[in-house]
Amino acid sequence: MTRKNIWSLLIMVLLGVGISWYSLRDVKLSSLMADIVTLNWWWLLVALGCIALYFGLEAVVVRKFVRHRYRKYSFLSALRVPLAEQLFNGITPFSSGGQPAQIFVMAQSGIDAGRASSVALMKFVVFQAMVVLNFLFAMLIGFHYLAAKLSYLSLYVFFGFLIHFAVIVGLLLVMYWYNFTKKAVKVVLIPVGWFMKAERFAQLEANISIKIDSFYEESLRMTKDWRMLLEVCIVTFCQLLFYYLIPYFIMRAMGYHGINIIMVTSLNVLIFLVTSLFPIPGGAGGAEFGFTALFAKFIPSHSKLILAMLIWRILTYYLGLFLGMFAMAMRPQKAEEIPIVTPEESVDEVE
């Protein structure tokens, strides 16, 4: 990690401490301690297991994308990818550092940088598609509650959905209307050139063109392997499901029974979309606000609500930051590229 990244991490931790202190300003210390003592730690372990499965299943996705070209790529090496992604997503605005971090970590393990970039892009496509799919389910189940009880959040959820949907549409355009997309991107970038130096603008255009070409080539290969693509979609869907279930198990740890697990899970999907709108790394402020606003009905005790929010943030955000630091410090294990045998080479070997 660079000095700039370390400073970003420290700032986010301090910001988190500040938000936590502000959230606890009206909570009596005696009430908070009593709530902590009465926690059901077994349910908290289940919540911890959910976030562990979230990281682990993403590592499974990475291995599925890599295994056809590389051998001896261990699960531990693959696990470094989502952990590094969590770290750099959490310390950069709009989670912009996650993809470069994934590429860097895979390159450390001997994966070609171009191949690593393609894997990161395809993983991103599948992830976004499953986020949109989960959102559609959540809309059917939980949006009526949101509109009736918290109508002011409906607009945030709608804009969050539009952002994710626009990303999917853009990626599909690259996959199926490649030439049109290249021309459209050039047109869209024209106003950007008015505010940039010619040399820097040319570099930006070249970088975007390279990314589009890389994604297009990888998408052609991926669409030919429908079985693997289906497997990756199922694994990613399950990965997100475990993440969305975490608030339910935290509520069970608080001693609440008879909670509608489907409704709670659906509302957490909506929080995910609200958080994506906030440019601050990790959605700091927006995530805490969304959680307390949406789950206040399920956790009527104010002190328990704030405690549940803090536990949720520790599991879904701060744990990823610190595990990401350990992942970056780990010594990478080198994978071996599987040689591509051409038909001519096969004939020569037979002779």
Side-chain angles (χ1 to χ4, degrees):
M1 289 179 66
T2 64
R3 183 176 296 179
K4 182 180 178 181
N5 291 332
I6 293 171
W7 275 111
S8 297
L9 177 62
L10 289 174
I11 289 170
M12 290 314 302
V13 171
L14 290 173
L15 181 60
V17 171
I19 292 172
S20 299
W21 174 82
Y22 182 79
S23 301
L24 290 166
R25 70 193 186 284
D26 296 326
V27 177
K28 291 183 179 179
L29 182 61
S30 57
S31 299
L32 183 66
M33 294 306 296
D35 292 336
I36 293 173
V37 169
T38 56
L39 282 172
N40 186 324
W41 294 93
W42 289 110
W43 282 115
L44 279 185
L45 283 175
V46 175
L48 181 62
C50 284
I51 196 64
L53 284 168
Y54 175 79
F55 296 142
L57 288 175
E58 189 166 346
V60 171
V61 169
V62 173
R63 288 194 77 193
K64 282 185 176 294
F65 277 128
V66 170
R67 69 184 181 186
H68 69 287
R69 290 295 303 273
Y70 292 86
R71 54 175 169 242
K72 295 185 179 180
Y73 187 65
S74 67
F75 178 79
L76 193 61
S77 295
L79 186 60
R80 291 182 69 230
V81 176
L83 295 180
E85 178 189 10
Q86 288 294 310
L87 171 60
F88 285 91
N89 274 348
I91 62 174
T92 53
F94 289 114
S95 303
S96 56
Q99 281 222 338
Q102 293 178 71
I103 296 167
F104 174 76
V105 167
M106 282 189 274
Q108 280 187 319
S109 296
I111 309 297
D112 175 74
R115 177 63 54 184
S117 179
S118 298
V119 169
L121 275 170
M122 291 307 300
K123 192 162 73 68
F124 176 74
V125 173
V126 174
F127 188 86
Q128 289 296 316
M130 293 303 103
V131 166
V132 170
L133 183 62
N134 276 284
F135 172 78
L136 294 176
F137 286 133
M139 284 284 285
L140 293 173
I141 298 166
F143 192 74
H144 68 280
Y145 168 82
L146 188 69
K149 304 291 183 181
L150 300 160
S151 56
Y152 59 91
L153 275 181
S154 302
L155 189 61
Y156 289 102
V157 171
F158 177 70
F159 279 122
F161 170 72
L162 282 183
I163 290 172
H164 288 279
F165 185 73
V167 170
I168 288 294
V169 170
L171 294 170
L172 288 174
L173 282 173
V174 176
M175 291 174 69
Y176 296 105
W177 291 281
Y178 172 74
N179 292 326
F180 168 78
T181 307
K182 293 275 280 191
K183 293 175 182 176
V185 168
K186 284 188 177 182
V187 173
V188 171
L189 285 176
I190 290 174
V192 178
W194 300 341
F195 305 96
M196 296 178 70
K197 293 181 179 179
E199 184 180 346
R200 190 177 175 189
F201 179 69
Q203 185 179 1
L204 175 66
E205 270 193 318
N207 288 337
I208 292 175
S209 181
I210 290 170
K211 285 185 178 296
I212 291 174
D213 292 342
S214 175
F215 174 69
Y216 177 68
E217 291 170 8
E218 187 66 17
S219 66
L220 288 177
R221 186 191 65 79
M222 284 296 303
T223 50
K224 293 176 182 177
D225 194 347
W226 283 102
R227 181 178 177 181
M228 185 182 75
L229 190 59
L230 179 62
E231 288 175 358
V232 167
C233 287
I234 292 171
V235 172
T236 304
F237 185 87
C238 293
Q239 174 199 356
L240 285 167
L241 179 62
F242 284 117
Y243 178 89
Y244 295 142
L245 280 169
I246 291 172
Y248 171 78
F249 293 120
I250 292 174
M251 291 180 196
R252 292 303 306 268
M254 294 284 173
Y256 291 101
H257 304 281
I259 303 168
N260 187 330
I261 185 171
I262 297 175
M263 177 64 77
V264 170
T265 304
S266 300
L267 291 177
N268 197 22
V269 175
L270 302 182
I271 291 177
F272 189 90
L273 289 171
V274 171
T275 303
S276 66
L277 287 175
F278 288 79
I280 302 172
E288 291 84 354
F289 167 72
F291 186 94
T292 52
L294 286 174
F295 294 125
K297 178 186 175 182
F298 298 91
I299 310 176
S301 168
H302 182 64
S303 62
K304 285 189 174 182
L305 177 63
I306 298 303
L307 179 59
M309 180 270 290
L310 293 175
I311 294 171
W312 175 72
R313 280 299 271 172
I314 289 169
L315 289 177
T316 60
Y317 178 60
Y318 296 103
L319 181 63
L321 293 184
F322 290 105
L323 289 177
M325 285 193 295
F326 283 112
M328 295 300 293
M330 286 172 56
R331 186 177 180 180
Q333 301 172 357
K334 294 292 184 180
E336 294 181 6
E337 187 171 6
I338 300 172
I340 299 175
V341 180
T342 62
E344 292 80 5
E345 290 173 334
S346 300
V347 171
D348 291 340
E349 288 179 6
V350 171
E351 292 177 355

